[in-house]
Amino acid sequence: MPLDPEPAPSDDDATAGPWPPTAPREARVRAGAAELAVDLRGGALRRLLVGDWDVLDGYPAGTVPAGRRGGVLVPWPNRLRGGQWSWRGEDLQLEVVGPAAPNAVHGLLTAQPWTVLTQRDDAVSVGTVLEPRSGYPFRLAVALDHTLAPDRLTVTVRVRNAGDGEAPFGVGMHPYLHVGALEEGGLADAELTVPARRALDVEEGLPTGSSRPFDGAVGRIGDRQLDDPLTDLVRDDDGWARVRLRGPAGELELAVDRSWPWLQVYSGDTLPAGQRRRSLAVEPMTCPPNALADGVDLVVLPAGGTWSGTWTLRWTPAAP
């Protein structure tokens, strides 16, 4: 069951000048039975197929996915209250979703074009430049390095401050882990372990100012609704924290290095009808919601400075 066929290029109108390409563009790599498609609009992980198992709950080429599936969340993950924040005494205003949801959400890269930096059969690096704009007057070069093996995907996010002064930012990614639910609500039968000891209290996705202990031994998800920013991660001796999700298709392990002190776990209850609770978003994050305004765990780079963080996804198919 291979990935979708490559889209055919659009024809130019012979009676006029050329048009820019409009066909969906993506980069693809393969290792053994694993195939990965990286969307060059937004840099998202569009699809990860292992044999006939869609390990990530992705989206069709050329479409706008609900829930930021596979998205790259820079220069902030999650929500920013009212899109308002300040830096070095300057008040800044970012665009918000709309009157019904007056917050800035998940960064500025969702529709941005990316280019392939390097590629081989089992690895690809893609990159883009986030130019200064109203509400975010900083310039960042962003690159993602993907390495695929028959049993795992390794993703490294790199950020360089390409501006003249300090640049504050946060980073997140938004994969939806799929362990075999065939219909809406099927996530109930999955079993989950999260290596976190504290959850941020939120209201409509934004911090209330308090937190609470979190028991990561969730077990069978059942009807439990999850949409929690989690921290105080439990790390193994190698410094990595590991989330495990098991279902009919097999087991997934998402692991993060020390560059990611936060995880968001979301069971998809507010997605469009037909997509709810069929997969689990497990989001590596450098900071919690509203971090640009609150300053919690923001990364601040001097001009020319760099940051990087790595996470991995390992799969073990269920026994036949």
Side-chain angles (χ1 to χ4, degrees):
M1 183 181 175
L3 291 176
D4 305 329
E6 293 277 6
S10 56
D11 293 329
D12 292 334
D13 184 346
T15 65
W19 295 100
T22 58
R25 296 177 59 244
E26 58 186 34
R28 300 183 182 187
V29 294
R30 181 167 187 162
E35 299 177 81
L36 173 70
V38 179
D39 196 342
L40 294 179
R41 182 200 58 192
L45 297 171
R46 187 183 71 78
R47 193 177 187 192
L48 177 54
L49 185 66
V50 180
D52 58 1
W53 177 14
D54 270 298
V55 167
L56 296 181
D57 192 359
Y59 58 96
T63 64
V64 178
R68 304 294 174 103
R69 295 182 183 277
V72 184
L73 316 179
V74 176
W76 76 90
N78 223 294
R79 289 157 180 77
L80 176 65
R81 183 179 284 109
Q84 299 174 344
W85 66 298
S86 62
W87 183 251
R88 302 293 190 251
E90 179 183 1
D91 292 333
L92 299 165
Q93 176 67 59
L94 287 154
E95 292 185 8
V96 300
V97 174
N103 302 306
V105 178
H106 285 331
L108 298 170
L109 297 182
T110 298
Q112 178 133 337
W114 292 62
T115 58
V116 174
L117 305 176
T118 63
Q119 185 167 11
R120 62 176 193 263
D121 289 347
D122 61 353
V124 64
S125 295
V126 299
T128 193
V129 176
L130 176 59
E131 298 288 357
R133 66 200 65 199
S134 176
Y136 192 79
F138 309 96
R139 191 169 191 254
L140 302 178
V142 184
L144 271 72
D145 306 321
H146 310 83
T147 302
L148 192 62
D151 66 340
R152 80 192 71 181
L153 170 67
T154 301
V155 180
T156 297
V157 186
R158 295 181 284 121
V159 180
R160 179 170 63 87
N161 180 359
D164 298 327
E166 287 186 331
F169 64 91
V171 179
M173 291 199 72
H174 213 298
Y176 282 73
L177 309 188
H178 182 252
V179 288
L182 299 178
E183 58 186 16
E184 183 176 274
L187 184 65
D189 293 326
E191 296 182 0
L192 173 65
T193 304
V194 185
R197 290 173 288 212
R198 184 149 293 273
L200 197 66
D201 291 325
V202 294
E203 184 174 337
E204 296 184 351
L206 289 160
T208 64
S210 62
S211 64
R212 66 188 186 279
F214 181 83
D215 182 359
V218 175
R220 183 179 182 274
I221 292 175
D223 60 1
R224 181 169 178 173
Q225 296 185 13
L226 298 165
D227 196 3
D228 300 293
L230 305 172
T231 193
D232 191 13
L233 303 185
V234 180
R235 297 185 181 273
D236 295 335
D237 291 343
D238 59 4
W240 289 62
R242 292 173 167 86
V243 179
R244 291 180 172 87
L245 182 69
R246 186 172 64 207
E251 180 171 314
L252 297 177
E253 176 197 272
L254 189 148
V256 296
D257 72 8
R258 291 190 182 277
S259 296
W260 313 94
W262 292 82
L263 293 166
Q264 181 90 13
V265 178
Y266 169 53
S267 52
D269 299 87
T270 59
L271 291 172
Q275 301 180 30
R276 297 170 187 160
R277 299 183 65 82
R278 70 184 189 196
S279 57
L280 185 76
V282 179
E283 309 163 34
M285 303 191 303
T286 61
C287 57
N290 213 48
L292 284 180
D294 297 339
V296 177
D297 287 340
L298 272 184
V299 179
V300 180
L301 289 179
T306 61
W307 171 93
S308 70
T310 298
W311 61 275
T312 65
L313 181 63
R314 183 195 296 258
W315 47 87
T316 304

